[in-house]
Amino acid sequence: MEEHLSYVKPLYAPFLCFTHHSFSLYSLYIHIPPISPLQSTIYSYSYPLHTHFHMGPTPYNSSNSSSSACSSSTKPPPPQPPDQMDHLLAGAGYKVRSNDLTQVAERLEHLETVMVKSSPVDISDIGNDAVYYNPTDLASWVDSLLTELNPSGSGSGSGSGSGSGSGFVSGSGPANVSDPVMNDMNNNVYGEFGQQVVTPLEEDVSIRLVHVLMTCAEAVQRGDLSLAGLLIDDLQGLLGRVNSGCGIGKVGSFFVDALSRRVVNSPQNGVVQVDLSAYENEILYHHYYEACPYLKFAHFTANQAILEAFDGQDCVHVIDFNLMQGLQWPALIQALALRPGGPPLLRLTGIGPPSLDGRDSLREIGLKLAELARSVNVRFAFRGVAASRLDDVKPWMLQVSPKEAVAVNSIMQLHKLLGPGGPRGPPVDLVLDWIRDLNPRILMVVEQESNHNQPEFLDRFTESLYYYSTMFDSLDACTAQPEKTLAELYIQREICNVVCCEGSARVERHEPLVRWRERLTGAGFAPLHLGSNAFKQARMLLTLFSAEGYSVEENEGCLTLGWHSRPLIAASAWQAIPKPSAVTTGR
């Protein structure tokens, strides 16, 4: 018997504002040994990551420095002819004449000032044309940088220290390493166009990382697990040389982990089980929902299409293939409450995994939704159906009435039915068949826009590496923590399943929209055009995110959400074509 239940408060989650502008820096520290004119100064300069300073093995000797420091504190250095190299700097490997010490100090301070005032574009230009090596001729090295950064104001200058007419900042005191502008630049860790900026050396390592990943995947496909294991060791070393907090470093670390799981832990049949508990999966799902617009896009688009399909209906029934925390339905309940002519009777059947901790989580979610419905005067009935797999659900469990207008909602669930089937055929065909028997007014399908269901391991590995690289690139626009970190773990679970698992254990079998069109059309469904309202809803959703890279596109009546030019998820709506037996019986 179904129960009429109720909830405390709407389940709306706050939308996150993303920042898309970022600029990444690192600091280069040059230690001038303690001598009288410079007074043991550490000069700190910040350069953009794509400017390549090849430091190499420095000639600095720490023991010499220590002895120099001690001797300088007890007695002044011996007098030197002004045209000779300073012996303390020479001991550190730098060639600076004694009479040039003051001028070099001024130039170093001026270089710091120019670096602060230069725009990122100006700074990046010097990295495109030259490589600066660890200098022995310190004065010439500083002059070369000043010439690149400030061609008009980097004259040679005099050593007077006045700075008049020379363009240099006078004074021999230590550089201001606590300057607030420099601190702000060092604290800013993103690129101007929302992508992490990398050094040429790191870019070379990143390219090699991708090549070794592909070689390792090819070895796995051939069954050469010994070679794959050796390549994984190489990959671990390469990961230590790239930034694993973003870009290919982060994506690569997840794929290396997945390959390692498959190679090291794989039994003879190639199946590695990496399932999370239902509770852990719900936590990650919630943070994925909060961190990025993909699930919100799916929910908003589906709700708008369902609302239009229910127009004029007095008794409506939504069957949700993945209730999770019920995040999709408060918006639909409120929209039905505002419908002209009054709200209909709403029945919601939520399908979800059984609770292993003894809680009836489906009932708890139903109680919350029912309380919301009661607060806005919407008649509401909820029914929970616990099932480990969607193909375990039978139509009689849903208790659909012939008088109801039915909507079936599948958000990233049907691809899990594309695995090997039993004697009665593939699971997806069986489920689509009984969905058609329900004769729903709308079947809403949202799926990942990718092809991870290819039979050859190397093909789907290549496709998934490209797809998830784009996905993580879009997540880099997320500034909220811990949502971003846990959202990445949610995606890592998918990567593990695509790469590690085979057979029935591999459930993340994503297919592109064109394949779903063929399959649904062949199963007896006709496409419904997602109208302009759904498109406007999706575009309005994206305005809540400051990252400009997200885009909504219309594709033959369907909608896709992507990052820049790459679609990542696709939403489509379908209507069941009644079977001949249903037509004759008046169903």
Side-chain angles (χ1 to χ4, degrees):
M1 178 179 296
E2 65 189 18
E3 302 178 47
H4 295 261
L5 309 172
S6 306
Y7 170 20
V8 271
K9 205 172 176 182
L11 299 174
Y12 288 134
F15 290 105
L16 305 173
C17 291
F18 292 175
T19 178
H20 190 57
H21 298 288
S22 48
F23 187 64
S24 188
L25 303 152
Y26 72 92
S27 293
L28 167 67
Y29 294 94
I30 304 173
H31 186 195
I32 306 298
I35 54 180
S36 297
L38 297 181
Q39 298 180 355
S40 184
T41 302
I42 294 180
Y43 292 85
S44 172
Y45 308 112
S46 292
Y47 298 97
L49 283 173
H50 55 265
T51 303
H52 182 199
F53 292 85
H54 180 78
M55 297 304 295
T58 176
Y60 186 83
N61 186 313
S62 59
S63 61
N64 291 344
S65 173
S66 300
S67 62
S68 299
C70 293
S71 63
S72 65
S73 64
T74 57
K75 60 181 180 179
Q80 302 178 47
D83 59 342
Q84 289 189 4
M85 297 297 173
D86 181 86
H87 76 283
L88 291 175
L89 283 175
Y94 298 102
K95 298 177 182 179
V96 181
R97 296 183 184 278
S98 299
N99 59 354
D100 289 338
L101 288 174
T102 302
Q103 186 177 6
V104 170
E106 292 173 355
R107 294 182 185 186
L108 286 169
E109 292 189 26
H110 181 58
L111 177 59
E112 181 174 18
T113 303
V114 172
M115 292 295 296
V116 171
K117 294 181 178 179
S118 297
S119 69
V121 175
D122 294 334
I123 296 174
S124 66
D125 287 343
I126 69 174
N128 296 331
D129 303 322
V131 176
Y132 299 93
Y133 291 89
N134 192 12
T136 55
D137 187 347
L138 190 60
S140 298
W141 179 77
V142 175
D143 283 344
S144 68
L145 284 179
L146 286 171
T147 301
E148 294 285 348
L149 287 172
N150 190 19
S152 61
S154 59
S156 59
S158 65
S160 63
S162 65
S164 175
S166 67
F168 297 120
V169 179
S170 63
S172 59
N176 181 15
V177 296
S178 62
D179 183 84
V181 178
M182 293 297 295
N183 289 339
D184 288 343
M185 293 176 71
N186 282 302
N187 290 335
N188 197 347
V189 295
Y190 295 98
E192 182 178 357
F193 300 102
Q195 297 178 351
Q196 187 73 20
V197 185
V198 297
T199 64
L201 177 61
E202 188 173 357
E203 184 177 358
D204 292 341
V205 176
S206 299
I207 294 172
R208 175 163 173 76
L209 176 64
V210 174
H211 287 173
V212 180
L213 275 171
M214 298 303 300
T215 305
C216 185
E218 188 176 4
V220 169
Q221 177 167 295
R222 293 198 311 267
D224 191 349
L225 299 186
S226 298
L227 175 59
L230 294 175
L231 291 172
I232 287 173
D233 292 337
D234 291 344
L235 288 167
Q236 297 287 2
L238 291 171
L239 287 175
R241 299 165 59 189
V242 297
N243 184 358
S244 60
C246 63
I248 189 59
K250 177 173 290 183
V251 178
S253 67
F254 288 158
F255 275 86
V256 171
D257 175 72
L259 283 171
S260 179
R261 288 172 182 263
R262 180 176 181 120
V263 171
V264 175
N265 302 322
S266 176
Q268 293 183 352
N269 62 1
V271 177
V272 180
Q273 197 70 26
V274 289
D275 285 344
L276 296 173
S277 71
Y279 177 74
E280 291 170 332
N281 192 51
E282 284 187 9
I283 295 297
L284 296 183
Y285 181 93
H286 177 77
H287 287 283
Y288 179 62
Y289 176 91
E290 293 284 358
C292 53
Y294 298 111
L295 286 175
K296 296 186 184 75
F297 163 83
H299 292 173
F300 272 55
T301 304
N303 282 349
Q304 181 61 40
I306 292 172
L307 187 66
E308 294 177 4
F310 284 167
D311 186 36
Q313 301 297 314
D314 294 327
C315 184
V316 298
H317 187 175
V318 177
I319 300 170
D320 188 1
F321 278 179
N322 187 32
L323 183 65
M324 294 301 284
Q325 298 165 353
L327 297 173
Q328 179 173 349
W329 304 118
L332 180 67
I333 291 172
Q334 292 184 342
L336 291 173
L338 299 174
R339 196 178 73 169
L345 166 64
L346 171 62
R347 292 188 61 212
L348 174 62
T349 297
I351 300 172
S355 298
L356 301 180
D357 55 3
R359 296 185 307 115
D360 190 347
S361 57
L362 292 175
R363 177 183 170 82
E364 292 173 4
I365 295 169
L367 286 168
K368 297 174 182 179
L369 291 172
E371 179 62 26
L372 170 63
R374 187 175 63 84
S375 69
V376 294
N377 297 318
V378 173
R379 293 171 296 161
F380 180 81
F382 176 82
R383 179 178 180 81
V385 176
S388 300
R389 295 174 54 92
L390 190 56
D391 49 323
D392 291 335
V393 177
K394 308 304 177 187
W396 61 264
M397 301 178 182
L398 309 176
Q399 296 187 358
V400 175
S401 169
K403 299 179 180 179
E404 298 171 338
V406 177
V408 177
N409 185 69
S410 175
I411 306 297
M412 303 179 187
Q413 294 302 305
L414 289 182
H415 67 263
K416 298 178 181 180
L417 302 173
L418 297 178
R424 295 191 300 161
V428 66
D429 292 345
L430 299 177
V431 172
L432 289 178
D433 187 62
W434 65 250
I435 292 175
R436 186 184 180 190
D437 287 338
L438 297 178
N439 194 25
R441 295 183 65 87
I442 185 171
L443 164 64
M444 196 67 206
V445 177
V446 180
E447 287 290 340
Q448 289 87 341
E449 183 61 10
S450 188
N451 191 2
H452 300 151
N453 196 31
Q454 302 176 72
E456 296 293 333
F457 173 77
L458 184 60
D459 292 338
R460 68 172 184 269
F461 182 90
T462 305
E463 173 72 13
S464 62
L465 182 61
Y466 176 42
Y467 177 84
Y468 288 110
S469 295
T470 309
M471 178 68 74
F472 276 102
D473 189 25
S474 73
L475 276 179
D476 282 342
C478 172
T479 59
Q481 297 289 349
E483 281 80 7
K484 177 183 175 182
T485 301
L486 294 178
E488 290 167 350
L489 293 178
Y490 180 82
I491 299 174
Q492 183 187 18
R493 177 195 60 82
E494 289 187 2
I495 294 173
C496 265
N497 191 268
V498 171
V499 175
C500 295
C501 300
E502 294 293 348
S504 60
R506 179 160 61 87
V507 296
E508 301 297 342
R509 296 173 174 268
H510 313 134
E511 289 190 348
L513 179 60
V514 61
R515 296 286 299 275
W516 284 111
R517 281 198 181 108
E518 295 172 358
R519 178 173 286 107
L520 289 164
T521 301
F525 293 87
L528 289 175
H529 193 286
L530 290 174
S532 60
N533 288 334
F535 183 79
K536 291 176 182 177
Q537 286 271 17
R539 294 293 297 270
M540 180 185 68
L541 171 67
L542 292 189
T543 63
L544 300 174
F545 294 84
S546 61
E548 298 177 356
Y550 293 107
S551 61
V552 177
E553 301 293 340
E554 193 273 339
N555 182 343
E556 299 182 20
C558 306
L559 296 181
T560 64
L561 173 62
W563 178 250
H564 294 292
S565 60
R566 169 70 195 256
L568 294 176
I569 64 172
S572 59
W574 301 84
Q575 186 175 31
I577 301 173
K579 292 182 178 179
S581 58
V583 174
T584 57
T585 58
R587 171 71 174 90

